[in-house]
Amino acid sequence: MEFVTYEVKGQVGTITINRPKALNALNSAVLDELNEAFDSVDLNEVRCLILTGAGEKSFVAGADIGEMSTLSKAEGEAFGKKGNDLFLKIESFPIPVIAAVNGFALGGGCEISLSCDFRICSENAIFGQPEVGLGITPGFGGTQRLARAVGTGMAKQMIYGARNIKAAEALRIGLVNQVVALEELIPTVEKIAAGIAKNAPIAVRNCKKAINEGIDKDIASAVAIEEKLFGDCFETEDQRYGMEFFLDKNKEKVKEPFKNK
Ligand code: CAA
């Protein structure tokens, strides 16, 4: 792949968007390669993913403006669908995906981070949806996911005003969970990912599914989704082992890794 790299350390995989000449902007080739990278993840081996951008300046500076500049209405819609299909895949990816946002997360960059489970950013991060300044709407889910993440009032103010915000404000409005120094970003996110990867994988996946599938439902339907996924964890080797380990009061015993079974 030309614009995307994929690396696995232990049980954590890192997908890096690497198109530094255009500040990692998303053109069709990058979207295709990201699709390929997600498809290539071995879910028996990897238990948590990190998505980041190469370099120290930009996570992703948006969809590629050069490529979009000559699109017809139908082609614009198709380009939106291409991005949306990929971002839906990331959002519903079976294992957690953490966005490590290192710099600009504008337009499609803010949107791809919003399709991840949560965001950790560096102090130089800038988030925003500048699309109305280019004569378009956000097109890779920004009108929907930003509003769901930070509330409609804040999302509308950011989107209508094409207003960029810095890391501290992103933290204040709940767009990111944590802000760290740039050099601490990857080590911090790797530590968080490793902490997730050591927990029972079937349970972690079912938590993601329950939250994603229940969040827009009425509470009775939502807890019914949880019940099913809760039930699904029982009779797994990991559930049996996790509970037996707790109930066995032998303090000398060391907890073994979960088996994903
Ligand atoms: N698309 C294509 N190329 C881009 C790009 C983008 N989104 N963002 C940056 N680049 C390119 C620049 O054209 C420039 O290329 P050249 O060296 O060939 O001139 C290179 O990356 C470096 O960028 P700058 O020289 O502009 O760097 P800077 O430090 O002066 O500014 C910036 C950085 C503020 C991020 C600025 O590049 C910028 O405003 N980029 C566009 C951000 C944007 O509007 N994103 C939203 C795109 S629309 C969208 O994403 C729609 C959607 O929802 C699907």
Side-chain angles (χ1 to χ4, degrees), residues 157-177:
Q157 189 183 351
M158 284 176 67
I159 291 171
Y160 302 167
R163 192 170 75 89
N164 290 345
I165 60 169
K166 293 183 178 166
E169 188 169 0
L171 182 65
R172 186 179 63 77
I173 67 173
L175 181 54
V176 300
N177 289 6

Side-chain angles (χ1 to χ4, degrees), residues 24-181:
N24 303 327
L26 304 172
N27 61 13
S28 294
V30 176
L31 295 174
D32 286 339
E33 290 190 14
L34 278 169
N35 240 313
E36 222 180 288
F38 276 91
D39 284 344
S40 74
V41 174
D42 179 351
L43 292 169
N44 295 316
E45 176 192 22
V46 174
R47 296 185 180 177
C48 188
L49 283 176
I50 297 169
L51 178 69
T52 193
E56 301 200 332
K57 183 171 170 182
S58 182
F59 172 67
V60 171
D64 191 290
I65 299 169
E67 181 172 338
M68 287 186 294
S69 63
T70 57
L71 298 183
S72 65
K73 279 185 198 292
E75 288 165 341
E77 193 175 328
F79 188 61
K81 179 164 169 32
K82 192 178 176 72
N84 278 333
D85 286 350
L86 169 66
F87 292 14
L88 284 167
K89 176 188 274 190
I90 298 172
E91 186 169 50
S92 59
F93 206 66
I95 57 175
V97 185
I98 309 171
V101 178
N102 54 312
F104 293 113
L106 299 176
C110 187
E111 291 167 308
I112 198 168
S113 80
L114 283 161
S115 73
C116 298
D117 289 273
F118 55 88
R119 292 146 289 287
I120 309 291
C121 77
S122 54
E123 286 160 348
N124 68 335
I126 306 266
F127 291 84
Q129 298 288 162
E131 287 89 347
V132 292
L134 297 164
I136 55 172
T137 65
F140 290 166
T143 57
Q144 303 310 308
R145 291 196 184 90
L146 186 62
R148 283 164 169 78
V150 302
T152 50
M154 186 57 78
K156 285 176 172 177
Q157 189 183 351
M158 284 176 67
I159 291 171
Y160 302 167
R163 192 170 75 89
N164 290 345
I165 60 169
K166 293 183 178 166
E169 188 169 0
L171 182 65
R172 186 179 63 77
I173 67 173
L175 181 54
V176 300
N177 289 6
Q178 193 179 344
V179 181
V180 297

